[in-house]
Amino acid sequence: MDMEQYYGRYEPRMFVAVFDDVERVPAALDALRQVGVTDDFIQVQTGVPYASSILGRPRVWSAVPKYGLTGAVIGFGLGLFFTHGTAWLYPLRVGGMPLYSVPPSLVLLFELTMLGLLVSSFIGVLVESLLPPVGKPPVGNRVYHPAVSDSAIAIFFQTSRVLADEALQALRGVGAHEVTEVEGSFV
Amino acid sequence: MSSEFHPRNEAEARHIEALKQEHLLLDHKTRAEMNDMVMEAVEDTSREWKIAVTVLGLVTAVTLFGAWGYMMLNGLGLAGIRRPIYWGLFIVSFVFWIGISHAGTFVSAILRVFKAEFRRPFTRAAELMTTFGLAAAGLYPLVHLGRTWRFYWMMPYPNQRWLWPNWRSPLLWDFFAINTYLIGSTLYLYLPLIPDMAMARDRSTGWRRAVYGLLALGWRGTEQEWKNLQKAIQIFAWAIIPVMFSVHTIVSWDFAVAMKLGWHSTIFGPYFIIGALLSGIAAVNVVLFTVRATTKNMRYFIRPEHFDALGKLLLIISLSWAYFFFNEFILEWYGGEHTIKEILKFYMFGDIAPVWWTMVTCNVFIPGLLLWNRKFRRTPWLMFIMGIVVNIGMFAERYVIVTGALSRNRFPFDWGWYEPKLVEISIVFGTFMLFLFLYTLAARFLPLIPVWEVEEGQHSHTWRRIGKAVLPAVSDLESLD
């Protein structure tokens, strides 16, 4: 065995296994883990949202609320600037009246806080899930199976050539109706 | 998820079949079948549809933009608004359309928060109403300006002397509230649409595939994408509710902060909100019936059970409106203030009385008497008529509040009578046409049914046997993490 053949055995390859029924997916994922494919190298695509506990996958966290909170704080700050800050830019004092009034300010503070929350939550969805992370391959290379929108469940996994046959056999054993090799990346 | 259930005998099979006919979420179809049905409806641009869109577009162009342009050229004097009645049909319609826009959010967000399963097939149809209703409402401040080209004066930026707009003016609050609501509700419409756009992308060709692909934003349905989307939808559902309340409250404050008898009332905020919900939910019935009648395959998705549920909601809101109306009315009448008594007399027995009685009849008597009946609620065309009747009542309510109260002031020399002129009627008619035009276009471009939400609902619904009875059982899949 020459060097190229030796290292070729460990070259990562990506596969997809497609299932019609979610009931088979946890068993398929267990089978992959038994073969030695860890959760970091598995991605599950579904046509409806399944909780991690249904699929038997590690819990997924979302950073969208952090975006929302940041946007809300920015919106509140903008509201403060409008209702209180601008009064100081060109102060007009009239007959001992205060420069600004708190109760009517609350309306704008509320609206701008909510606007910041909503817009930034939306931006959070775009940044966190739909745009590729900086430095990663472009969107065109991301793996996808169109049967997902017809409710099929696609398990993409990456493994070395030495483990591939065993993994594919295990997946067919738990009822995958299609197991093929694909090119691309998870991100 | 398996939905198979084997009946033990003929009677049980019939019982299950009857329940399936009744409830969409028990009447399982495969996702591929449902996708096909929705896409068939979207791509059905028949000759009749093209004619309808062209006619609606032309009528909108002439009656709305034509009349508006004519008014801009000749001045606001063409409208019937004169001292002392400075607010007429434009403001009436503005309040009306803001009210219509409330239903989408109410139906979608509140029912989502409370996990009401019957909401699933029609949330998008209602959310579209919000967006287009706001688009129609947003025109009126511009129309009412007269000098529309000065609209940028409403925007929050300083003039040459570094003087900013008056943040304490309810009209400026309107600007912020309506824009927040418009942006928020449009994004709220778009977020759950992303997976359906991906479905449409996977099933179309040509220009449609390109556009759907762009709008799907590269959606693949990964665990991370679903998690982010669900979190965002949750945030929107909770946050858009207080925004919705704030919008119509602020619209009511346009009136209530004025020291004007008949307007200056502390109950105006909630009274306006309940009125908005009444007209909005009634409009959802109208839209659902129209979509069901004119769009392919919609009879599977929109069923009598949905009209029944909306009918119950409409009845509750109608009774709530009656409660607020009576609260407002009785205290003003009981107070005995002379001008207020004149206003109330004018409402009930004066020239505006037919409008006032139309309001009471359409908003309280008719829904109150008919919506108790289950058969009535489950008949889509009757609910369509009910939707129209309630909206006539709610338009009348706004007409009475805006023009009626301004007709009677403290001194009789300041009394007046308002008659809408042709240009106003044309613009108001034009916005109805605009709404229909936009909705007709959208119904053939966007998947009106959120298929993934319907499928999720069908996964949650299974059968359970208790003793000898077979019952539908619902699992709360949304609460799993």
Side-chain angles (χ1 to χ4, degrees):
Chain A
M1 188 183 292
D2 60 16
M3 291 289 276
E4 197 177 322
Q5 265 184 326
Y6 179 81
Y7 285 113
R9 297 175 68 211
Y10 297 99
E11 185 192 331
R13 296 166 66 192
M14 182 159 320
F15 298 90
V16 60
V18 183
F19 293 84
D20 287 332
D21 188 357
V22 71
E23 302 290 355
R24 297 174 192 272
V25 174
L29 292 169
D30 285 341
L32 280 177
R33 286 185 203 109
Q34 272 177 0
V35 171
V37 183
T38 59
D39 276 304
D40 291 342
F41 293 93
I42 298 173
Q43 184 182 77
V44 183
Q45 294 180 5
T46 57
V48 284
Y50 289 114
S52 307
S53 52
I54 292 178
L55 301 175
R57 290 271 286 158
R59 197 170 169 186
V60 181
W61 292 94
S62 170
V64 170
K66 287 183 189 164
Y67 283 83
L69 196 63
T70 311
V73 171
I74 293 171
F76 185 79
L78 192 64
L80 271 183
F81 168 72
F82 279 159
T83 54
H84 292 69
T86 57
W88 289 99
L89 292 174
Y90 194 116
L92 287 173
R93 296 191 183 276
V94 182
M97 298 284 280
L99 206 52
Y100 47 75
S101 165
V102 174
S105 305
L106 298 178
V107 177
L108 278 195
L109 286 175
F110 171 78
E111 294 300 338
L112 285 167
T113 305
M114 297 313 271
L115 183 64
L117 170 73
L118 296 173
V119 171
S120 58
S121 298
F122 179 73
I123 291 170
V125 173
L126 293 185
V127 174
E128 285 296 310
S129 49
L130 304 173
L131 300 176
V134 179
K136 300 282 180 175
V139 178
N141 284 352
R142 298 198 302 175
V143 287
Y144 175 62
H145 200 295
V148 166
S149 60
D150 279 345
S151 209
I153 294 139
I155 301 178
F156 289 89
F157 63 97
Q158 208 175 37
T159 185
S160 62
R161 198 176 289 256
V162 280
L163 297 178
D165 287 342
E166 205 181 335
L168 300 186
Q169 211 169 358
L171 288 171
R172 287 194 188 102
V174 291
H177 76 72
E178 178 193 330
V179 187
T180 46
E181 186 167 2
V182 289
E183 279 184 24
S185 69
F186 286 151
V187 290
Chain B
M1 258 171 244
S2 176
S3 60
E4 283 172 33
F5 187 86
H6 303 291
R8 283 179 181 164
N9 51 45
E10 190 77 8
E12 211 169 84
R14 272 203 305 277
H15 171 65
I16 289 174
E17 198 47 46
L19 282 172
K20 279 185 179 176
Q21 291 297 318
E22 166 72 15
H23 300 293
L24 165 70
L25 299 181
L26 292 171
D27 190 10
H28 292 208
K29 277 192 192 293
T30 65
R31 175 69 173 272
E33 282 175 307
M34 287 196 285
N35 285 343
D36 282 343
M37 289 166 80
V38 169
M39 287 310 290
E40 195 187 355
V42 167
E43 286 163 0
D44 175 34
T45 46
S46 59
R47 193 165 161 266
E48 290 80 8
W49 177 83
K50 283 176 187 157
I51 292 171
V53 167
T54 313
V55 170
L56 281 171
L58 285 173
V59 174
T60 305
V62 173
T63 56
L64 172 59
F65 295 108
W68 186 5
Y70 180 68
M71 197 179 75
M72 271 199 269
L73 282 174
N74 293 284
L76 201 56
L78 289 182
I81 40 182
R82 303 274 185 281
R83 185 180 167 278
I85 302 159
Y86 292 113
W87 284 2
L89 218 46
F90 295 148
I91 300 298
V92 172
S93 304
F94 166 69
V95 181
F96 176 79
W97 281 111
I98 292 281
I100 293 288
S101 75
H102 274 49
T105 309
F106 181 81
V107 166
S108 178
I110 293 189
L111 298 184
R112 196 188 292 274
V113 165
F114 284 106
K115 297 181 182 175
E117 291 289 326
F118 70 86
R119 75 175 195 274
R120 289 182 184 274
F122 60 81
T123 48
R124 185 159 304 145
E127 286 161 10
L128 266 178
M129 248 179 55
T130 293
T131 306
F132 296 150
L134 278 172
L139 290 178
Y140 280 102
L142 302 178
V143 173
H144 190 73
L145 273 178
R147 292 186 295 168
T148 307
W149 54 95
R150 300 281 195 208
F151 77 96
Y152 60 89
W153 284 11
M154 288 190 289
M155 289 182 178
Y157 73 98
N159 64 12
Q160 298 94 321
R161 297 178 63 198
W162 277 99
L163 286 172
W164 290 70
N166 179 9
W167 309 111
R168 280 160 282 185
S169 159
L171 299 180
L172 199 78
W173 300 346
D174 263 344
F175 176 84
F176 279 93
I178 291 170
N179 280 310
T180 300
Y181 192 43
L182 180 63
I183 293 168
S185 57
T186 308
L187 295 178
Y188 185 54
L189 164 74
Y190 182 55
L191 279 174
L193 196 58
I194 295 173
D196 289 320
M197 282 294 163
M199 177 275 287
R201 171 197 65 196
D202 295 345
R203 286 171 171 265
S204 15
T205 52
W207 67 269
R208 276 184 184 264
R209 185 180 170 83
V211 176
Y212 290 139
L214 195 69
L215 291 172
L217 301 170
W219 176 267
R220 295 176 298 159
T222 65
E223 296 151 286
Q224 189 65 58
E225 285 173 357
W226 279 118
K227 189 72 182 180
N228 291 333
L229 186 74
Q230 283 183 306
K231 271 281 172 220
I233 289 176
Q234 228 173 13
I235 293 172
F236 268 77
W238 281 96
I240 204 89
I241 295 168
V243 171
M244 174 196 88
F245 273 69
S246 76
V247 174
H248 221 58
T249 304
I250 289 172
V251 168
S252 83
W253 288 347
D254 289 344
F255 302 90
V257 294
M259 298 304 287
K260 165 85 193 76
L261 290 170
W263 284 0
H264 190 61
S265 159
T266 54
I267 210 171
F268 250 39
Y271 178 43
F272 266 52
I273 285 170
I274 215 76
L277 295 181
L278 183 60
S279 62
I281 290 170
V284 173
N285 279 295
V286 175
V287 164
L288 285 190
F289 173 81
T290 313
V291 166
R292 189 175 187 262
T294 59
T295 313
K296 266 188 184 172
N297 304 322
M298 288 300 128
R299 281 172 193 271
Y300 168 74
F301 292 105
I302 300 166
R303 302 184 180 203
E305 62 162 329
H306 301 119
F307 289 95
D308 187 20
L310 284 171
K312 286 177 193 164
L313 213 52
L314 197 61
L315 179 61
I316 293 167
I317 303 284
S318 162
L319 296 175
S320 310
W321 184 87
Y323 164 75
F324 277 97
F325 166 74
F326 188 66
N327 248 288
E328 222 252 330
F329 180 87
I330 188 93
L331 291 188
E332 289 198 331
W333 173 77
Y334 205 73
E337 213 276 344
H338 187 71
T339 314
I340 277 287
K341 273 170 71 179
E342 280 301 328
I343 290 176
L344 295 182
K345 241 167 62 184
F346 180 62
Y347 285 171
M348 285 188 292
F349 311 112
D351 292 341
I352 209 167
V355 186
W356 193 85
W357 285 105
T358 302
M359 166 188 89
V360 177
T361 310
C362 294
N363 289 348
V364 184
F365 296 147
I366 295 176
L369 287 172
L370 295 175
L371 286 174
W372 292 103
N373 189 313
R374 187 169 180 266
K375 257 191 185 164
F376 187 97
R377 292 195 308 265
R378 293 176 55 82
T379 311
W381 68 269
L382 285 176
M383 289 303 290
F384 168 78
I385 292 172
M386 178 60 80
I388 301 229
V389 165
V390 168
N391 269 302
I392 289 171
M394 283 312 299
F395 198 89
E397 188 232 33
R398 276 75 183 246
Y399 192 89
V400 168
I401 288 176
V402 176
T403 71
L406 285 173
S407 303
R408 291 292 179 271
N409 294 298
R410 284 193 189 276
F411 299 109
F413 70 80
D414 213 11
W415 288 8
W417 175 242
Y418 168 72
E419 272 174 23
K421 296 286 185 269
L422 186 63
V423 72
E424 293 169 283
I425 295 168
S426 173
I427 288 173
V428 169
F429 177 75
T431 41
F432 280 93
M433 293 298 108
L434 175 74
F435 180 84
L436 284 178
F437 174 69
L438 292 174
Y439 211 100
T440 314
L441 267 186
R444 289 297 182 277
F445 183 70
L446 300 176
L448 272 187
I449 305 293
V451 192
W452 67 269
E453 288 198 70
V454 172
E455 194 196 352
E456 190 187 29
Q458 292 190 340
H459 282 324
S460 315
H461 285 68
T462 48
W463 299 98
R464 188 182 167 195
R465 194 186 300 281
I466 303 178
K468 284 196 167 186
V470 176
L471 301 162
V474 187
S475 315
D476 185 7
L477 293 181
E478 287 172 288
S479 67
L480 283 176
D481 213 0

